[in-house]
Amino acid sequence: MQARAGFIGFSQARTRSIASVIEGASEIAIEPVIVRDTWTDGELGEVSSVFINREMDEKELARWLETIRDASADIPIVLVYGSQPDGKCYLLSNRFDCWLFSEKDRLERTLTAAEVGRALANETPDSAFERRLFEVSLSAGPCSTGS
């Protein structure tokens, strides 16, 4: 399964590291879109999730999170911390409905790479189509209840 993901505030090396860890632990292939300075609505429509660096400046991080949430309340945002989550991670996660992840956290205090991969696979446009087909089959297929 293929997913385009926006990466905000990461170097190319860190972006590759995050993507490869998730790809190695799941069945999803991540096509990274590195966002540098600004975000346009068109770019948001091109990705199925957003990874954002927790180590950014506090004001800039809050501005990015607000911009993304204002544009789409449903897009998965993965807040990526260093090797250990801090209180601000949890605060931002609750405020902006973010998932917490770090490929550097060996104690796996938040989501694992496999959990992020499975969750992203469930959010891709292909999976939405498959879910809709399944819903239709439940109501109209040979095993349906007829309701």
Side-chain angles (χ1 to χ4, degrees):
M1 189 161 288
Q2 179 82 16
R4 284 191 82 175
F7 284 81
I8 301 171
F10 297 103
S11 65
Q12 284 188 339
R14 182 87 192 272
T15 298
R16 281 193 300 272
S17 173
I18 294 167
S20 67
V21 166
I22 294 170
E23 289 172 341
S26 65
E27 296 179 7
I28 195 159
I30 297 175
E31 180 185 341
V33 176
I34 297 175
V35 179
R36 294 287 178 209
D37 299 322
T38 60
W39 188 270
T40 65
D41 289 339
E43 285 177 318
L44 186 59
E46 295 175 3
V47 298
S48 58
S49 61
V50 177
F51 288 76
I52 190 163
N53 192 347
R54 162 64 187 101
E55 297 170 5
M56 295 171 67
D57 174 69
E58 297 289 329
K59 289 182 182 178
E60 185 178 8
L61 178 61
R63 181 183 60 83
W64 276 109
L65 290 169
E66 287 171 1
T67 300
I68 295 165
R69 272 297 163 240
D70 287 346
S72 174
D74 298 328
I75 192 167
I77 299 175
V78 183
L79 187 60
V80 182
Y81 56 92
S83 60
Q84 172 173 337
D86 60 4
K88 188 72 170 183
C89 281
Y90 295 107
L91 179 70
L92 291 169
S93 174
N94 286 334
R95 181 174 172 205
F96 294 103
D97 190 24
C98 302
W99 304 342
L100 292 175
F101 170 74
S102 178
E103 83 285 14
K104 297 179 179 181
D105 187 351
R106 301 296 173 226
L107 298 178
E108 295 180 338
R109 288 166 259 225
T110 57
L111 294 176
T112 66
E115 290 168 331
V116 171
R118 281 193 304 271
L120 290 177
N122 289 334
E123 297 293 331
T124 63
D126 291 341
S127 66
F129 180 72
E130 290 170 2
R131 279 193 304 271
R132 181 66 183 131
L133 283 177
F134 181 71
E135 290 169 4
V136 168
S137 72
L138 287 178
S139 63
C143 298
S144 73
T145 61
S147 55

